[in-house]
Coordinates of all heavy atoms in Angstrom, one line a residue:
M1194 N -24.2 4.5 7.1 CA -23.2 3.7 7.9 C -23.6 3.4 9.3 O -24.1 4.4 9.9 CB -21.9 4.5 7.8 CG -20.7 3.8 8.5 SD -19.1 4.7 8.3 CE -19.3 6.1 9.2
D1195 N -23.3 2.3 9.8 CA -23.7 1.9 11.1 C -22.6 2.3 12.1 O -21.5 1.7 12.0 CB -24.0 0.4 11.2 CG -24.5 -0.1 12.5 OD1 -24.3 0.7 13.4 OD2 -25.0 -1.1 12.6
K1196 N -22.8 3.3 12.9 CA -21.6 3.9 13.7 C -21.4 2.8 14.9 O -20.3 3.1 15.6 CB -22.1 5.2 14.3 CG -22.0 6.3 13.2 CD -22.2 7.6 13.8 CE -22.1 8.6 12.7 NZ -21.8 10.0 13.1
D1197 N -22.0 1.8 15.1 CA -21.7 0.9 16.1 C -20.8 -0.2 15.5 O -20.2 -1.0 16.3 CB -23.0 0.1 16.6 CG -23.9 1.1 17.3 OD1 -23.4 2.0 17.9 OD2 -25.1 0.8 17.4
K1198 N -20.5 -0.2 14.2 CA -19.5 -1.2 13.7 C -18.1 -0.7 13.8 O -17.8 0.5 13.8 CB -19.9 -1.3 12.2 CG -21.3 -1.9 11.9 CD -21.3 -3.3 12.1 CE -22.8 -3.7 11.7 NZ -23.1 -5.1 11.8
T1199 N -17.2 -1.7 13.9 CA -15.8 -1.5 13.8 C -15.2 -2.1 12.5 O -15.6 -3.2 12.2 CB -15.1 -2.0 15.1 OG1 -15.6 -1.4 16.2 CG2 -13.5 -1.9 15.0
F1200 N -14.5 -1.3 11.8 CA -13.8 -1.9 10.5 C -12.5 -1.2 10.2 O -12.3 -0.2 10.8 CB -14.8 -1.8 9.4 CG -15.3 -0.4 9.1 CD1 -14.7 0.3 8.1 CD2 -16.4 0.1 9.8 CE1 -15.1 1.5 7.8 CE2 -16.9 1.4 9.5 CZ -16.2 2.2 8.5
V1201 N -11.8 -1.9 9.4 CA -10.5 -1.3 8.9 C -10.5 -1.1 7.5 O -11.0 -1.9 6.6 CB -9.4 -2.3 9.2 CG1 -8.0 -1.9 8.7 CG2 -9.3 -2.6 10.8
V1202 N -10.1 0.0 6.9 CA -10.0 0.5 5.6 C -8.6 0.4 5.3 O -7.6 0.9 5.9 CB -10.5 1.8 5.3 CG1 -10.3 2.2 3.9 CG2 -11.9 2.0 5.8
I1203 N -8.2 -0.4 4.2 CA -6.8 -0.7 3.8 C -6.6 0.0 2.4 O -7.5 -0.1 1.5 CB -6.4 -2.1 3.7 CG1 -6.6 -2.7 5.1 CG2 -5.1 -2.4 3.2 CD1 -6.5 -4.2 5.2
D1204 N -5.4 0.6 2.1 CA -5.1 1.2 0.9 C -3.7 0.8 0.6 O -2.9 0.7 1.4 CB -5.2 2.8 1.0 CG -4.8 3.4 -0.4 OD1 -5.3 2.9 -1.4 OD2 -3.9 4.3 -0.4
I1205 N -3.4 0.4 -0.7 CA -2.0 0.0 -1.1 C -1.7 0.8 -2.4 O -2.5 1.2 -3.1 CB -1.9 -1.5 -1.3 CG1 -2.8 -2.0 -2.5 CG2 -2.1 -2.2 -0.1 CD1 -2.6 -3.4 -2.9
E1206 N -0.4 1.0 -2.5 CA 0.2 1.6 -3.7 C 1.1 0.5 -4.3 O 1.8 -0.2 -3.6 CB 1.0 2.8 -3.4 CG 0.2 4.0 -2.8 CD -0.9 4.5 -3.8 OE1 -0.8 4.4 -5.0 OE2 -1.8 5.3 -3.3
T1207 N 1.0 0.3 -5.6 CA 1.8 -0.7 -6.3 C 2.5 -0.3 -7.6 O 2.2 1.0 -7.9 CB 0.8 -1.8 -6.7 OG1 -0.1 -1.3 -7.7 CG2 0.0 -2.4 -5.6
T1208 N 3.4 -1.1 -8.1 CA 4.0 -0.7 -9.3 C 3.3 -1.0 -10.5 O 3.7 -0.8 -11.6 CB 5.4 -1.4 -9.4 OG1 5.2 -2.9 -9.3 CG2 6.3 -1.0 -8.3
G1209 N 2.0 -1.5 -10.3 CA 1.2 -1.9 -11.4 C 0.0 -2.8 -10.8 O -0.1 -3.0 -9.6
L1210 N -0.6 -3.6 -11.7 CA -1.9 -4.3 -11.3 C -1.7 -5.8 -11.5 O -2.6 -6.6 -11.2 CB -3.1 -3.8 -12.0 CG -3.4 -2.4 -11.7 CD1 -4.7 -2.0 -12.6 CD2 -3.8 -2.2 -10.3
N1211 N -0.5 -6.3 -12.0 CA -0.4 -7.7 -12.3 C 0.2 -8.5 -11.1 O 1.3 -8.2 -10.6 CB 0.5 -8.0 -13.6 CG 0.6 -9.3 -13.9 OD1 -0.3 -10.2 -13.6 ND2 1.7 -9.8 -14.6
S1212 N -0.6 -9.4 -10.6 CA 0.0 -10.3 -9.6 C 0.2 -11.8 -10.1 O 0.5 -12.6 -9.3 CB -0.9 -10.3 -8.3 OG -2.3 -10.8 -8.8
N1213 N -0.1 -12.0 -11.3 CA 0.0 -13.4 -11.9 C 1.2 -13.4 -12.9 O 1.2 -12.8 -14.0 CB -1.2 -13.7 -12.6 CG -1.3 -15.2 -13.1 OD1 -0.3 -15.8 -13.4 ND2 -2.5 -15.6 -13.3
P1214 N 2.3 -14.2 -12.5 CA 3.4 -14.3 -13.4 C 3.1 -14.9 -14.8 O 3.9 -14.8 -15.8 CB 4.4 -15.2 -12.6 CG 3.7 -15.8 -11.7 CD 2.4 -15.0 -11.4
D1215 N 2.0 -15.5 -15.0 CA 1.6 -16.1 -16.3 C 1.3 -14.9 -17.3 O 1.2 -15.3 -18.5 CB 0.4 -17.0 -16.2 CG 0.7 -18.3 -15.4 OD1 1.9 -18.6 -15.3 OD2 -0.3 -19.0 -14.9
Y1216 N 1.1 -13.8 -16.7 CA 0.7 -12.7 -17.6 C 1.8 -11.5 -17.7 O 1.4 -10.4 -17.8 CB -0.6 -12.1 -17.2 CG -1.8 -13.1 -17.3 CD1 -2.3 -13.7 -16.2 CD2 -2.3 -13.4 -18.5 CE1 -3.3 -14.6 -16.3 CE2 -3.3 -14.3 -18.7 CZ -3.8 -14.9 -17.6 OH -4.8 -15.9 -17.7
G1217 N 3.0 -11.9 -17.5 CA 4.1 -11.0 -17.6 C 4.6 -10.7 -16.2 O 4.5 -11.5 -15.3
E1218 N 5.4 -9.6 -16.1 CA 6.1 -9.3 -14.9 C 5.1 -8.9 -13.8 O 4.2 -8.2 -14.0 CB 7.1 -7.9 -15.2 CG 7.8 -7.6 -13.9 CD 8.6 -6.3 -14.2 OE1 8.9 -6.0 -15.4 OE2 9.2 -5.8 -13.3
V1219 N 5.4 -9.5 -12.7 CA 4.6 -9.4 -11.5 C 4.9 -8.0 -10.9 O 6.1 -7.6 -10.8 CB 4.9 -10.4 -10.5 CG1 4.0 -10.1 -9.2 CG2 4.4 -11.8 -11.1
N1220 N 3.9 -7.3 -10.5 CA 4.1 -5.9 -9.9 C 4.2 -6.1 -8.4 O 3.8 -7.1 -7.9 CB 2.9 -5.0 -10.2 CG 2.9 -4.8 -11.8 OD1 1.9 -5.1 -12.5 ND2 3.9 -4.3 -12.4
H1221 N 4.6 -5.0 -7.8 CA 5.0 -5.1 -6.3 C 4.2 -4.0 -5.5 O 4.0 -3.0 -6.0 CB 6.5 -4.9 -6.1 CG 7.3 -5.8 -7.0 ND1 7.6 -7.1 -6.6 CD2 7.9 -5.7 -8.2 CE1 8.3 -7.7 -7.4 NE2 8.5 -6.9 -8.4
I1222 N 3.9 -4.4 -4.3 CA 3.4 -3.5 -3.4 C 4.4 -2.5 -2.9 O 5.5 -3.0 -2.4 CB 2.6 -4.1 -2.2 CG1 1.5 -4.9 -2.7 CG2 2.2 -3.1 -1.0 CD1 0.8 -5.9 -1.6
I1223 N 4.3 -1.2 -2.8 CA 5.3 -0.3 -2.4 C 4.8 0.5 -1.2 O 5.7 1.2 -0.6 CB 5.8 0.6 -3.5 CG1 4.6 1.4 -4.2 CG2 6.5 -0.1 -4.5 CD1 5.1 2.4 -5.3
E1224 N 3.6 0.6 -0.8 CA 3.1 1.3 0.3 C 1.8 0.6 0.8 O 1.0 0.2 0.0 CB 2.9 2.7 0.1 CG 2.4 3.4 1.3 CD 2.3 5.0 1.1 OE1 2.0 5.4 0.0 OE2 2.4 5.8 2.0
V1225 N 1.7 0.5 2.1 CA 0.5 0.0 2.8 C 0.0 1.0 3.7 O 0.8 1.5 4.5 CB 0.8 -1.4 3.4 CG1 -0.6 -1.8 4.2 CG2 1.2 -2.4 2.5
G1226 N -1.3 1.2 3.8 CA -2.0 2.2 4.7 C -3.2 1.5 5.3 O -3.9 0.9 4.5
A1227 N -3.5 1.9 6.5 CA -4.8 1.4 7.1 C -5.3 2.2 8.2 O -4.5 2.8 8.9 CB -4.6 -0.1 7.6
V1228 N -6.5 2.4 8.3 CA -7.1 3.1 9.4 C -8.3 2.2 10.0 O -9.0 1.5 9.3 CB -7.7 4.4 9.0 CG1 -6.7 5.5 8.6 CG2 -8.8 4.2 7.9
K1229 N -8.4 2.2 11.3 CA -9.4 1.4 12.1 C -10.4 2.4 12.5 O -10.1 3.5 13.1 CB -8.8 0.8 13.3 CG -9.8 -0.1 14.2 CD -9.1 -0.7 15.2 CE -10.1 -1.6 16.0 NZ -9.4 -2.3 17.2
I1230 N -11.7 2.2 12.1 CA -12.8 3.0 12.4 C -13.8 2.4 13.5 O -14.1 1.3 13.3 CB -13.5 3.5 11.2 CG1 -12.6 4.1 10.3 CG2 -14.7 4.3 11.5 CD1 -13.2 4.4 8.8
E1231 N -13.8 3.0 14.5 CA -14.7 2.6 15.6 C -15.7 3.7 16.0 O -15.4 4.8 16.1 CB -14.0 2.2 16.9 CG -13.0 1.1 16.7 CD -12.2 0.9 18.0 OE1 -11.3 1.6 18.3 OE2 -12.4 -0.3 18.6
Q1232 N -17.0 3.3 16.0 CA -18.1 4.3 16.3 C -18.1 5.5 15.4 O -18.2 6.7 15.9 CB -18.0 4.7 17.8 CG -18.2 3.4 18.7 CD -18.2 3.7 20.2 OE1 -17.8 4.8 20.6 NE2 -18.7 2.9 20.9
G1233 N -17.7 5.3 14.2 CA -17.7 6.3 13.2 C -16.4 7.3 13.2 O -16.4 8.2 12.5
K1234 N -15.4 6.9 14.0 CA -14.2 7.8 14.2 C -12.9 6.9 14.0 O -13.0 5.8 14.4 CB -14.2 8.5 15.5 CG -15.4 9.5 15.7 CD -15.3 10.2 16.9 CE -16.5 11.1 17.1 NZ -16.5 11.9 18.2
I1235 N -11.9 7.6 13.5 CA -10.6 6.8 13.2 C -10.0 6.7 14.7 O -9.8 7.6 15.4 CB -9.7 7.6 12.4 CG1 -10.2 7.7 10.9 CG2 -8.3 7.0 12.4 CD1 -9.4 8.5 10.1
S1236 N -9.8 5.4 15.0 CA -9.2 5.1 16.4 C -7.7 4.7 16.3 O -7.0 4.8 17.2 CB -10.0 4.1 17.0 OG -9.9 2.8 16.3
E1237 N -7.2 4.2 15.1 CA -5.9 3.8 14.9 C -5.6 4.0 13.4 O -6.5 3.9 12.6 CB -5.7 2.4 15.3 CG -5.8 2.0 16.8 CD -5.5 0.6 17.0 OE1 -4.5 0.1 16.8 OE2 -6.5 -0.1 17.6
N1238 N -4.3 4.1 13.2 CA -3.8 4.3 11.8 C -2.4 3.6 11.6 O -1.7 3.5 12.6 CB -3.9 5.6 11.2 CG -3.0 6.6 11.9 OD1 -1.8 6.4 12.0 ND2 -3.5 7.7 12.3
F1239 N -2.1 3.2 10.4 CA -0.9 2.6 10.1 C -0.5 3.0 8.7 O -1.4 2.9 7.8 CB -0.9 1.0 10.3 CG 0.3 0.3 9.7 CD1 1.5 0.2 10.5 CD2 0.3 -0.2 8.4 CE1 2.6 -0.3 10.1 CE2 1.5 -0.8 8.0 CZ 2.6 -0.9 8.8
S1240 N 0.8 3.1 8.4 CA 1.3 3.5 7.1 C 2.7 3.1 7.0 O 3.5 3.3 8.0 CB 1.1 5.0 6.8 OG 1.6 5.2 5.5
S1241 N 3.1 2.4 6.0 CA 4.5 2.0 5.8 C 4.8 1.9 4.2 O 4.0 1.4 3.5 CB 4.8 0.7 6.4 OG 6.1 0.3 6.3
F1242 N 6.1 2.4 3.9 CA 6.6 2.0 2.5 C 7.0 0.6 2.6 O 7.2 0.0 3.8 CB 7.7 2.9 2.3 CG 7.3 4.3 2.0 CD1 8.0 5.4 2.6 CD2 6.3 4.7 1.0 CE1 7.6 6.7 2.3 CE2 6.1 6.0 0.7 CZ 6.8 7.0 1.4
C1243 N 7.1 -0.1 1.5 CA 7.6 -1.4 1.4 C 8.7 -1.5 0.4 O 8.6 -0.9 -0.7 CB 6.5 -2.4 0.9 SG 5.0 -2.3 2.0
T1244 N 9.8 -2.2 0.8 CA 10.9 -2.3 -0.2 C 10.5 -2.9 -1.5 O 9.5 -3.7 -1.5 CB 12.1 -3.1 0.5 OG1 13.3 -3.0 -0.3 CG2 11.8 -4.5 0.7
C1245 N 11.2 -2.6 -2.6 CA 10.8 -3.0 -3.8 C 12.0 -3.4 -4.6 O 13.1 -2.8 -4.6 CB 10.2 -1.9 -4.6 SG 9.5 -2.3 -6.2
P1246 N 12.0 -4.7 -5.1 CA 13.2 -5.2 -5.8 C 13.5 -4.7 -7.1 O 14.5 -5.0 -7.8 CB 12.8 -6.7 -6.0 CG 11.3 -6.8 -6.0 CD 10.8 -5.6 -5.1
I1247 N 12.7 -3.8 -7.6 CA 12.9 -3.2 -9.0 C 13.0 -1.7 -8.8 O 12.4 -1.1 -7.8 CB 11.9 -3.5 -10.0 CG1 10.5 -3.0 -9.6 CG2 11.8 -5.0 -10.2 CD1 9.4 -3.1 -10.7
S1248 N 13.6 -0.9 -9.7 CA 13.5 0.5 -9.7 C 12.1 0.9 -10.1 O 11.6 0.3 -11.1 CB 14.6 1.0 -10.7 OG 14.6 2.4 -10.7
L1249 N 11.5 1.9 -9.5 CA 10.2 2.3 -9.9 C 10.1 3.0 -11.2 O 10.9 3.7 -11.5 CB 9.7 3.3 -8.8 CG 9.5 2.8 -7.4 CD1 9.1 4.0 -6.5 CD2 8.5 1.7 -7.3
P1250 N 9.1 2.5 -11.9 CA 8.9 3.2 -13.3 C 8.6 4.6 -13.0 O 7.9 5.1 -12.1 CB 7.8 2.5 -13.8 CG 7.7 1.2 -13.1 CD 8.2 1.4 -11.7
D1251 N 9.0 5.6 -13.9 CA 8.7 7.0 -13.8 C 7.1 7.3 -13.7 O 6.8 8.1 -13.0 CB 9.2 7.7 -15.1 CG 10.8 7.7 -15.1 OD1 11.5 7.6 -14.0 OD2 11.4 8.0 -16.2
E1252 N 6.5 6.5 -14.4 CA 5.0 6.7 -14.4 C 4.4 6.5 -13.0 O 3.6 7.2 -12.6 CB 4.3 5.6 -15.4 CG 2.8 5.6 -15.4 CD 2.3 4.5 -16.3 OE1 2.7 4.5 -17.5 OE2 1.4 3.7 -15.7
I1253 N 5.0 5.5 -12.3 CA 4.6 5.3 -10.9 C 5.0 6.3 -9.9 O 4.3 6.8 -9.0 CB 5.0 3.8 -10.4 CG1 4.4 2.7 -11.3 CG2 4.7 3.6 -9.0 CD1 2.8 2.7 -11.4
V1254 N 6.3 6.8 -10.1 CA 6.8 7.8 -9.4 C 5.8 9.2 -9.5 O 5.5 9.8 -8.4 CB 8.1 8.3 -9.6 CG1 8.7 9.5 -9.0 CG2 9.1 7.1 -9.3
K1255 N 5.4 9.4 -10.8 CA 4.6 10.6 -11.0 C 3.2 10.4 -10.4 O 2.6 11.4 -9.9 CB 4.5 10.9 -12.5 CG 5.8 11.5 -13.1 CD 5.7 11.6 -14.6 CE 7.0 11.9 -15.2 NZ 7.0 11.8 -16.7
L1256 N 2.7 9.3 -10.5 CA 1.4 8.9 -10.0 C 1.3 9.0 -8.5 O 0.2 9.5 -7.9 CB 0.8 7.5 -10.7 CG -0.5 7.1 -10.1 CD1 -1.5 8.0 -10.8 CD2 -0.7 5.6 -10.6
T1257 N 2.3 8.4 -7.9 CA 2.1 8.2 -6.4 C 2.8 9.2 -5.5 O 2.6 9.4 -4.4 CB 2.7 6.8 -6.0 OG1 4.1 6.7 -6.3 CG2 1.9 5.7 -6.7
G1258 N 3.9 9.8 -6.2 CA 4.8 10.7 -5.4 C 5.8 10.0 -4.6 O 6.5 10.5 -3.9
I1259 N 5.9 8.6 -4.7 CA 6.8 7.8 -4.0 C 8.1 7.6 -4.9 O 8.0 7.3 -6.1 CB 6.2 6.4 -3.6 CG1 5.0 6.5 -2.9 CG2 7.2 5.5 -3.0 CD1 4.1 5.3 -2.6
S1260 N 9.2 7.7 -4.3 CA 10.5 7.5 -5.0 C 11.2 6.3 -4.6 O 11.0 5.8 -3.5 CB 11.3 8.9 -4.7 OG 11.9 8.9 -3.4
N1261 N 12.2 6.0 -5.4 CA 13.1 4.9 -5.0 C 13.8 5.1 -3.6 O 13.9 4.2 -2.7 CB 14.1 4.6 -6.1 CG 13.5 4.1 -7.3 OD1 13.0 3.0 -7.2 ND2 13.6 4.7 -8.4
E1262 N 14.1 6.4 -3.4 CA 14.8 6.8 -2.1 C 13.8 6.4 -0.9 O 14.3 6.2 0.2 CB 15.2 8.3 -2.1 CG 16.4 8.5 -3.1 CD 15.9 8.6 -4.6 OE1 14.7 8.8 -4.8 OE2 16.7 8.4 -5.5
D1263 N 12.5 6.8 -1.1 CA 11.6 6.5 -0.1 C 11.5 4.9 0.3 O 11.3 4.7 1.5 CB 10.1 6.9 -0.5 CG 10.0 8.3 -0.7 OD1 10.6 9.2 0.1 OD2 9.2 8.7 -1.6
L1264 N 11.9 4.1 -0.6 CA 11.7 2.7 -0.4 C 13.1 2.1 0.1 O 13.1 1.0 0.5 CB 11.3 2.0 -1.6 CG 10.0 2.5 -2.2 CD1 9.5 1.8 -3.4 CD2 8.9 2.6 -1.2
A1265 N 14.2 2.8 0.0 CA 15.5 2.3 0.2 C 15.7 1.5 1.5 O 16.3 0.5 1.6 CB 16.5 3.4 0.2
N1266 N 15.2 2.0 2.5 CA 15.3 1.3 3.9 C 14.1 0.8 4.5 O 13.9 0.5 5.7 CB 16.0 2.2 4.9 CG 17.4 2.6 4.5 OD1 18.3 1.8 4.2 ND2 17.6 3.9 4.4
A1267 N 13.0 0.6 3.5 CA 11.7 0.2 4.0 C 11.7 -1.4 4.3 O 12.5 -2.0 3.7 CB 10.8 0.5 2.9
P1268 N 10.9 -1.8 5.2 CA 10.7 -3.3 5.4 C 10.0 -4.0 4.2 O 9.4 -3.3 3.4 CB 9.7 -3.3 6.6 CG 9.1 -2.0 6.6 CD 9.9 -1.0 6.0
S1269 N 10.1 -5.2 4.2 CA 9.5 -6.0 3.1 C 8.0 -6.0 3.4 O 7.6 -5.8 4.4 CB 10.1 -7.4 3.0 OG 9.7 -8.1 4.2
V1270 N 7.2 -6.3 2.4 CA 5.8 -6.5 2.5 C 5.5 -7.6 3.6 O 4.5 -7.4 4.4 CB 5.2 -7.0 1.2 CG1 3.7 -7.4 1.4 CG2 5.3 -5.9 0.2
K1271 N 6.2 -8.6 3.7 CA 5.9 -9.7 4.7 C 6.3 -9.2 6.1 O 5.5 -9.5 7.1 CB 6.8 -10.9 4.4 CG 6.4 -11.7 3.1 CD 7.3 -12.9 2.9 CE 6.8 -13.6 1.7 NZ 7.6 -14.8 1.4
Q1272 N 7.2 -8.3 6.2 CA 7.4 -7.7 7.6 C 6.2 -6.9 8.0 O 5.9 -6.7 9.2 CB 8.8 -6.9 7.6 CG 9.9 -7.8 7.5 CD 11.3 -7.0 7.3 OE1 11.3 -6.1 6.6 NE2 12.3 -7.4 8.1

């Protein structure tokens, strides 16, 4: 890794992997996280839940540890 580089690592949690309505129900982003790395060290970080228009499937709650209550007052993905 080149320690002189600056980059951002992004992680998302979703209700599934489908983003194409032609293939069934579209899934939703429920959490976004990012860290900015400068000179090999984390210089900034961001994390936010995202509101979801559907009730989370039990499988997703178990997998992510995120509950419907966590998302109740969260901003939208666009915000």
Side-chain angles (χ1 to χ4, degrees):
M1194 179 171 71
D1195 188 342
K1196 290 190 176 193
D1197 294 331
K1198 301 280 184 183
T1199 297
F1200 56 96
V1201 176
V1202 178
I1203 299 171
D1204 179 46
I1205 62 172
E1206 298 295 341
T1207 67
T1208 59
L1210 299 175
N1211 185 24
S1212 62
N1213 186 337
D1215 292 341
Y1216 297 105
E1218 182 179 346
V1219 173
N1220 297 121
H1221 304 277
I1222 295 172
I1223 56 175
E1224 184 179 24
V1225 176
V1228 292
K1229 182 177 182 180
I1230 300 175
E1231 296 179 288
Q1232 298 178 344
K1234 297 182 180 182
I1235 295 173
S1236 61
E1237 295 181 56
N1238 61 53
F1239 171 82
S1240 179
S1241 179
F1242 289 125
C1243 304
T1244 191
C1245 186
I1247 64 168
S1248 182
L1249 295 177
D1251 290 339
E1252 175 182 308
I1253 297 302
V1254 173
K1255 288 177 189 171
L1256 180 67
T1257 65
I1259 299 170
S1260 69
N1261 290 300
E1262 292 78 22
D1263 292 328
L1264 308 180
N1266 296 311
S1269 70
V1270 171
K1271 290 181 181 181
Q1272 291 174 315

